[in-house]
Amino acid sequence: MKAEGQRILKELVLVGGGHSHIAILKEFGMRPVLGLRITLISEYGGTPYSGMLPGLIAGHYNYEEVHIDLVRLCRLAGAQFYRTRVEGLDLGGKRVLCEGRPPVRFDLISINNGSTPRTKGIAGAAKYSIPVKPIMQFLRGWDRILEAAIKREGDSYRVTVIGGGAGGVEVTLATQFCLYNELKKRNITSSQIEFHLVTESDVLLPTHNPRVQEKYTRILDDRKVVVHLQHRVVKVEADALFCEPGAIILSDAIILATDGAPSEWLRESGLTTDHQGFIVVDECLRSPSHPFVFAAGDAASVREHPRPKSGVFAVRQGPPLGENIRLALADLPSKPFVPQRHFLSLISTGDQYAVASRGRWALEGKIIWKIKDWIDRRWMKQYRELPAMSEDEGDSRIAERLIPNSDTLPEEGKETIRCGGCGSKVGSVVLNKVLNRVDIIERKDILLGLKSSDDAAALKVPEGMIQVQSVDSFPVFLNDPYMFGKIAANHCLGDLFAMGAEPQSAQVLVTVDPGSDSAMEEQLFQVMSGAISLLEEHRVALIGGHTSEGSPLGIGLVVNGLAEEGSLLRKGGMRPGDQLIMTKPLGTGTIFAADMRARAKSSWIEEAVRSMVRSNGPAIDCFKRHGASASSDVTGFGLVGHLIEMLHASGTGAKMNLKAVTFFSGAVETAKAGILSTLQPQNRKLEASLKFKGERDERYELLFDPQTSGGLLASVPLKHAEACLGDLKSVGYLDAAVIGEVVVREKEEPCLEIRGL
Ligand SMILES: Cc1cc2nc3c(=O)[nH]c(=O)nc-3n(C[C@H](O)[C@H](O)[C@H](O)COP(=O)(O)OP(=O)(O)OC[C@H]3O[C@@H](n4cnc5c(N)ncnc54)[C@H](O)[C@@H]3O)c2cc1C
């Protein structure tokens, strides 16, 4: 959380968007800590509320009703969101190791990444069974089971669930309810479908009281679920389970709902873990071996107060975890937290019926389900209906000054009065550290590059070639500096590709948020790593740059390309009859305007980011192969703006079909809500140059939406258009579309005619 003029002094990294961390994010969003940067690392943009998982499987809720949107929550909290899987910890270097992206530095770290069903001791489980967590993976596997069962059209089909705890019985009954429902919808009999539940325990629900166990034994019996007690599964194959002592259970589908196991990398991290590999924490939720590490939820094993793994405890640990992190930031002693021993469990039976369990007490009925449903929905509401936020609110909330001030900080974190000379240049130590950590490719045509100590770079332009150059820069719009750097570099290369040039080299200008040396190094490292990884994909050498301190984070790139003389594809070559092909959907401006206000869904951001890092390189190759007469990349002026530029340069007119234009998921919705980029009204002034026929809705507004790292717009001869479109799709531009045609320009008439819906 960074207030205006505030330097980043500490980094808090949250691993996993579990139940405790979502509470922290919301609370830190409402009561920010001055000088603290929070980063959440999670492998999915949404995290499920465990209590509603069986209802999701049974079909009573949809995906969004049971998932908390981590992207929106992070926006509200002013936190960074890195969507990736954590693979390890480097505790000595205080770094989190992530899949497919550079390590992430921290001062304090909190781990709340849950658990997944235990596969250890069950040979073949990883290959032949479907674990109930992570839920996205389970839902995909469950779809395959449904499809296979439906295909049998009433012939026998066996589903077996391994695990007799609350999760296991709930999943058995929820999957049965769902499958029977799907068969009924298709008029297929379910009489040949069998459900089996296998557990090594001698009772069902061993952590609950005997009355609950009896009720469940009866309910499973009524629902014709075959229960195998005292069967320890030791091996599974595609169609069978092998149990000790000696039984074989044949099965077409195997679901794993065993007790939770921790991530393997926790055990290897060097943290003190218990015999199962969960992180040992004290009653303040702090690792005794590494006090800068906190942990909560399933991932943690509280030394003083062992409790079963349950979402209830993860939820309850959220507030004390947040408070103890605040205290640790202020170098104050932590406060112990004693979790309650007994709590109310409401265990569902799939058919909107549930059993309540607490201590020695049990109750069942439809009303219990209704109460459960009400409690769960009410809990979700606090995260689904987040307070509205204006674009700049993140910095204006009253922030707590918790981190010790300059007098008590170690040397590197001390606030110093910064001079603005040399463009507030970032110190050479920080810069050199970053440059030493990134790999920069070398090329023979770079005579003097980053590795030389000269004042400027020197490039060789081979005989018969010309140099093509472009520049662009951006303030940060995405709360992930690595991906931001990647998108910015891709956007800048887009200008070279649009002209048919081959990128060769780049210079980069970065403005990093003021902070301690380590905070600035981290941000510079992340943003540069993103940009360099993209440049590397295209064998582009980084030959120089400049860094400065300032707010907000920003990056600009000067890019150089090479092209054969006379080969450039320019805006002015369009010919009447050519077809207009656009390679990517529109809508990044409106979606990121919504994201700034914490109103964009994580799935929209994911889709837009995927497209924004997709290179325009393969697209220009397709266009060239199919004889394109002109091309441009669609960026800040929006589709209409760039098309009109092309039409003016070509002296032609064009007819465009609004129905044919594609938009990112969420773009029409955010535009409909009146959320548009601040640039859009300026772009819309081009309306004077067009004639509109027919009906219009918010899609019309999006024709003026400024794009970041947008697609290419090209004119292709009619006879090649279909083949060109097929080629574009085959290399990954699945949304490429013919959106109109080039026509003869009529005097006195606007150059562009748009047909509406
Ligand atoms: C079918 C079923 C029903 C259940 N019903 C209930 C119930 O009714 N009540 C109850 O109290 N408990 C229930 N539980 C148990 C409950 O799900 C867990 O105890 C609870 O989810 C643990 O919460 P957590 O906050 O520790 O982690 P989780 O809620 O599991 O969250 C972990 C988060 O970390 C992310 N993550 C995991 N690994 C990584 C990684 N390597 N890198 C980045 N991110 C990662 C995940 O994507 C996820 O967002 C149920 C469990 C199952 C399987």
Side-chain angles (χ1 to χ4, degrees), residues 24 48 56 124 131 150 178 227 241 297 299 391 395 432 464 469 489 520 576 590:
I24 292 189
L56 171 72
I150 291 165
C178 172
V227 176
L241 297 89
E391 227 166 281
D395 284 350
N432 284 333
Q469 195 180 66
M520 287 199 294
T590 178

Side-chain angles (χ1 to χ4, degrees), residues 249-480:
I249 300 168
L250 297 179
S251 192
D252 298 291
I254 302 167
I255 295 173
L256 200 66
T258 44
D259 47 334
S263 304
E264 273 301 311
W265 54 264
L266 281 178
R267 199 191 287 275
E268 291 152 16
S269 66
L271 287 168
T272 301
T273 52
D274 67 8
H275 66 286
Q276 288 176 288
F278 292 106
I279 308 166
V280 171
V281 290
D282 62 20
E283 52 187 346
C284 303
L285 305 173
R286 211 165 178 172
S287 159
S289 61
H290 297 80
F292 52 87
V293 179
F294 288 82
D298 281 9
S301 173
V302 185
R303 197 177 46 189
E304 289 83 359
H305 310 290
R307 295 285 184 274
K309 302 287 175 207
S310 146
V312 172
F313 290 119
V315 169
R316 298 271 160 84
Q317 286 170 337
L321 176 66
E323 191 179 0
N324 280 328
I325 288 174
R326 277 178 193 275
L327 292 171
L329 288 167
D331 283 337
L332 294 169
S334 310
K335 284 189 189 163
F337 166 68
V338 183
Q340 65 200 95
R341 200 165 282 281
H342 296 295
F343 61 94
L344 177 69
S345 293
L346 301 173
I347 311 161
S348 59
T349 59
D351 51 356
Q352 301 196 324
Y353 191 91
V355 178
S357 160
R358 191 175 201 278
R360 287 185 298 171
W361 179 85
L363 208 63
E364 66 180 290
K366 277 198 173 302
I367 187 73
I368 306 290
W369 156 264
K370 284 203 173 128
I371 293 169
K372 175 176 166 55
D373 179 54
W374 181 80
I375 293 173
D376 289 345
R377 284 183 192 271
R378 193 185 55 162
W379 191 86
M380 279 300 290
K381 205 170 160 193
Q382 61 181 318
Y383 292 104
R384 282 170 61 81
E385 293 174 14
L386 296 172
M389 189 177 145
S390 67
E391 227 166 281
D392 55 2
E393 199 181 341
D395 284 350
S396 65
R397 278 164 285 178
I398 299 165
E400 230 179 344
R401 191 176 287 279
L402 264 186
I403 298 175
N405 65 28
S406 51
D407 300 337
T408 55
L409 271 183
E411 203 55 39
E412 66 131 22
K414 277 191 180 172
E415 301 259 6
T416 47
I417 298 167
R418 322 291 285 193
C419 87
C422 302
S424 307
K425 215 171 153 145
V426 168
S428 62
V429 176
V430 170
L431 182 60
N432 284 333
K433 274 188 179 170
V434 172
L435 291 178
N436 284 335
R437 290 171 67 190
V438 292
D439 288 329
I440 291 161
I441 65 152
E442 293 182 37
R443 289 174 57 124
K444 286 206 173 94
D445 52 3
I446 309 298
L447 304 177
L448 299 173
L450 255 191
K451 293 207 171 133
S452 82
S453 54
D454 292 280
D455 291 330
L459 314 175
K460 190 171 180 166
V461 180
E463 192 103 12
M465 304 287 271
I466 51 167
Q467 188 175 56
V468 187
Q469 195 180 66
S470 177
V471 63
D472 220 329
S473 71
F474 313 80
V476 67
F477 57 85
L478 184 69
N479 53 359
D480 175 345

